[in-house]
Amino acid sequence: MPMMMEDYDDLFSDALPLPPAPLAPGLQERLDELRTNGASHKIAWSKMGCIAYITADGKELHVATLRHRNDHNTWDLHLHADPTLGEHIAKIYKGRELANLSWNPSGLELVVADVYGRLSVCTTVIATNRLMVSKVWLSEPENHFNAMVGSTWLNVKKVVPLYRSATRQDGQWNYAATQYEMKGPHNPWAIKAPLSAMVVISRGGTLRLIYQGQDAQWQDVRHEIDELSTSNDLFTHASLCSDKGESLLLAVHTAGKQLRLYRVTIDWQQSTGKDQITSLPKVLFQHLDSVDECCPMLDDTSLEQGNFTLPSPEAKLSHLELLPQSTDVRTKEITPATVLVIFSHVASQYSTVGAREQAHTILSRWVYRNVESTLHTAFGSLTSKKSGPPVKLKEVTALVRLQDIRVENVAIDVQLINLNATVAISYSDGSVDLRDKTTLQHLSPDEGPDKITSLAQVGFSFQATETCLHMALSPNTCIKAFFGLKHEPKMACIQPMSRHVDFQDSIFTEKVAAAFVLHNAMAGYSNNNNDDLLMTMQEYMRQLTSDQSPESLALRNKMEKDFLSDLYRTLGINLDQSTDPQSEKLLRYPMLQRCLSLQAALGISGDKGTRSITSKVAWALMNLRMFSLTFAFAFAKSGNAADGSGELSKPEVLHGMIGPADWSMTLTDYILDGLFSLNRSIDPAVGFSMSAIRAQVSTTLCPALPLLLTSTSRTFLRYNCRGLRGLSTLATTNLLPTTPPSPSLGPASRALTHIFSAAHLPPRVLETLFAEIDSMVKHAYAAASPPIADPQRQALEREMLVGGEVPAVLTGVVEKVVVEVVEKLRAEVGVLEGELHFGDFKSLGFEKGRGDGRLVDGVRKVRLGRRGREVKLRTCARCGTVMEDLLPVKGASPWIVNLQRTCFCGGFWMV
């Protein structure tokens, strides 16, 4: 019996290791692919918002787009299966397997590589999810020596504001920005035109420089990096980054487990005189240092402290990333370039017993920095009769290894984000690890209430969802797109970690709003599509109000107001146009469009997509801005209308003014109806009451009063009336008997004349009305006691735009407008007031529904075929506006051409 017990003790002894957890299907194959090929990105997300991915069979290219569904007020992935694109790519590569996808910095061009390193360039055409093959390189033989193992796009030479943090002082968040210069080398011909350049490293040790020259044609230059002596010299992985000056650093890993570091200098051979190419660019290489045994390292100190166990001898390199030199935000010191090498290990049935431990990842680092030279130990045995001070040896620059970090997960992707300040490592369970580039430490939640650096620092993270084999992060790194086991593209937002979140904590909500301001400010100046930020913010607000309690709804509204107010202020948008209107500056400032677009989208609530007052104001302002630009451009280019040289003398341009004029006059009728409604709500027995007016506005959600009182919208209304007045005069003149007959301009002129004659107030009277209200507001501000300073007035105007509430100083103006001005208008409008009350204003887009079921082109404001069956459409991925899918043609209206790429709300088109 005792013998039997001893046998059982041996059976359940701790000496026997537990078997590792079973691997997810496909993970072993994915790791094998990553270990043999350093360029294996099967899914890529452009900064314009297009998600390109390779199909499961590896032969076709498909695209997807983040899309807002207006019918459900939700977001999803719009999978656009363009059969022509997939079939074209498959035909180009003759059915060979595709290996890598890479978007250029602008997000307009995609380079596709197959397993043999043969490249093609796909260019977006108007819609973000419509790609066209524009260049193909298929001259290479089907040789694995030509396979791509690493690549990088050269930066565009520009300086952008960099928002690193927000600090709270005296109850207000302040967002400080520094200037960040995109480091070289740069394509010298990309100064005046958006021309690209890319560096590709092949397995056989060849560097390829593909670039667009001055004529925008693609060129291909090749140079050998090193001679290949044996098969151990073949490259498996490569990574490049900007170095000091106009050079690149290149890190490569060979089949013989050697890590090499080179400096790459590009001589563009560009003459300084006529700015012409004298010959093809030359590429120069300088070998800097190498490491012979590139493998995980055992740190005895960490082992004794129990931080991690002995790395498995079967842990193999899966990723190589070169982190560029930068300035540490905290210490202001220059941090050297760092080579990040990721080793991964998963146990299989063929692993040795010692290697059957749980799957893990080892993060190894080498920094390229100055170190003291050392002499061989043999020199110590030499004696000298002369004594003197020790000779200080000269410092040399070399790769110095840092301590390894072990992660109990399997890495499937790594990339630099936030202008190279953060390392994002994706894992097979769907989680994403965000680490500081300098220390490689987690960006863990910080409980400090007065400083914000990112959503991760507030307490957001990409949590584990499901098994993931391929992953790409959105332009602003707040949504992940990934492939599960069925190779179907899915997405998930960054979420607040439950243990760090109290949704009813107002301080936490303020910090979240400040973090979103930081990210949106960066996206604005980087020209990134910010649909991912909008979706993430709306998802958080949905969680915040899940219980629909009054407290949660009030907190949600406060968060929206704080976010928008801070964003307008941070981007330097002057919303105070009450004393010195600057309509031209407002028209041309692109950041205003971005802010208004976010305001319009955040104000949509519920499954029915009901708009708040502030959302309607923003929606009206975006349309007014678009049409003000339209009218300004048309009249600025009008030339001499008598000899037919002006833009408005062209029939297609004048016809393009019909929709904007009709929409603008409908908006003024809507405003008039709102004013009459407020006047009728006044109780004669009580008289004017500001509280009653507020209640009426809150009930009807009519934005008429905010549109008239907010100086920004009033400026656009006045500016728009100038164009309408000019069109009215031009249309009337074209139809005069004394005017030389022009049959081509007659139909458009008659349509415009009908629009203005059917309006309840002509543009001239409307312009006078807006000027009168403008004078009232100026006088109210000037007569305020105590006096209102400029910063205070700017804050009032900003709060009125984003909150929809009228400040106390303008109460007298409201009374004059609702009582005196309306009575005067009633005398002019007369019996037509009833028509206003029952008017159809659905074409304005404030309410859901499209009247008789016919679609309206949201840009040209013209009717399309019933339910869009007769015309091809493109749709705005954000606001859902549809537009006829017109390709650019010679002679088209310039304002239509300018809106080909983006909607008037700033959203991108999709098909």
Side-chain angles (χ1 to χ4, degrees), residues 290-362:
S290 61
V291 176
D292 289 334
E293 287 295 329
C294 183
C295 60
M297 175 184 65
L298 171 64
D299 187 303
D300 296 334
T301 304
S302 298
L303 181 61
E304 291 174 0
Q305 295 175 353
N307 290 346
F308 59 79
T309 58
L310 178 66
S312 167
E314 295 190 4
K316 298 180 180 179
L317 187 147
S318 59
H319 297 86
L320 175 65
E321 190 72 24
L322 195 49
L323 314 181
Q325 173 183 288
S326 62
T327 303
D328 192 297
V329 180
R330 297 174 294 272
T331 64
K332 307 301 180 182
E333 295 180 354
I334 301 295
T335 60
T338 304
V339 181
L340 173 62
V341 181
I342 297 181
F343 300 91
S344 57
H345 168 71
V346 292
S348 67
Q349 59 179 333
Y350 304 107
S351 301
T352 61
V353 176
R356 290 181 185 175
E357 56 177 316
Q358 295 295 335
H360 62 269
T361 294
I362 302 293

